Amino acid sequence: MSHEDAANLSRNQQAQASSLVCYTLRLKKGQELKTSLMKFVKETNLKAPFVMTCVGCVSKATLRLAASAEASYSEKIKTFDQFFEILSLVGTLSGDRGHLHISLGDKDGNVIGGHVMGDLIIYTTAEIVIGECSNVTYSREFDKETGYPELCIKPRDTPPVFN
């Protein structure tokens, strides 16, 4: 891909190149994963945070599952009260709630996944690496086309100072 093609793609899809800073966290038994991540983002004043990796286990999870267009919003939300290994956690941590998807494995090797609604209660530990794009900011703005608050990516006015 030529530099010109990349620049055109960037303009058309809000793509922005950025340097990266990483933060490593360990959550302990009883902590709620999503709430803990959003609290960390707020306390450290991160402007463009995202989950790079996460491993660990939970004893409870509330997910919004994929469903057909005919299914109501509430029909897609399920709470699972059982032990799961965290196989994957991905998403951005912008706005008040972020946008996270998770894959969880049960004791028989079955996998479930969906949009994280909350109630991800850590059973033993969760080891998480958060990335911070240092040249951009993330926000969420309502998108008339999708009907949801969607990710908006904007260049930062001034780069952050890291101690």
Side-chain angles (χ1 to χ4, degrees):
M1 177 181 292
S2 73
H3 182 68
E4 184 176 324
D5 288 340
N8 286 333
L9 180 64
S10 176
R11 280 191 293 279
N12 293 334
Q13 297 183 356
Q14 284 193 325
Q16 297 281 332
S18 185
S19 56
L20 176 67
V21 176
C22 300
Y23 298 85
T24 305
L25 309 170
R26 178 173 174 245
L27 301 181
K28 296 180 180 180
K29 186 173 184 165
Q31 290 184 278
E32 199 285 316
L33 190 141
K34 185 174 181 180
T35 303
S36 297
L37 293 181
M38 296 310 295
K39 181 180 176 186
F40 175 79
V41 165
K42 186 174 183 177
E43 288 175 352
T44 53
N45 199 29
L46 301 183
K47 301 296 184 193
F50 61 96
V51 176
M52 295 180 71
T53 191
C54 175
V55 295
C57 57
V58 296
S59 58
K60 183 178 181 181
T62 300
L63 307 176
R64 187 181 74 225
L65 307 177
S68 66
E70 296 83 37
S72 74
Y73 185 82
S74 62
E75 289 173 344
K76 299 184 220 177
I77 298 173
K78 291 194 176 186
T79 298
F80 301 89
D81 284 304
Q82 65 187 79
F83 299 110
F84 291 105
E85 289 290 326
I86 299 169
L87 306 177
S88 173
L89 178 68
V90 296
T92 56
L93 298 165
S94 59
D96 294 331
R97 297 178 300 196
H99 185 188
L100 298 172
H101 288 196
I102 196 165
S103 295
L104 300 167
D106 71 11
K107 65 181 178 60
D108 298 318
N110 299 308
V111 177
I112 63 162
H115 178 92
V116 175
M117 299 302 292
D119 288 334
L120 281 170
I121 307 301
I122 304 302
Y123 180 60
T124 56
T125 192
E127 301 164 2
I128 308 156
V129 179
I130 303 296
E132 163 77 340
C133 295
S134 57
N135 299 344
V136 298
T137 62
Y138 293 167
S139 63
R140 301 201 82 73
E141 296 177 16
F142 184 79
D143 184 318
K144 290 183 281 186
E145 196 173 308
T146 67
Y148 292 98
E150 302 290 359
L151 181 67
C152 292
I153 307 158
K154 298 176 183 165
R156 286 198 197 187
D157 294 332
T158 57
V161 176
F162 300 104
N163 298 327

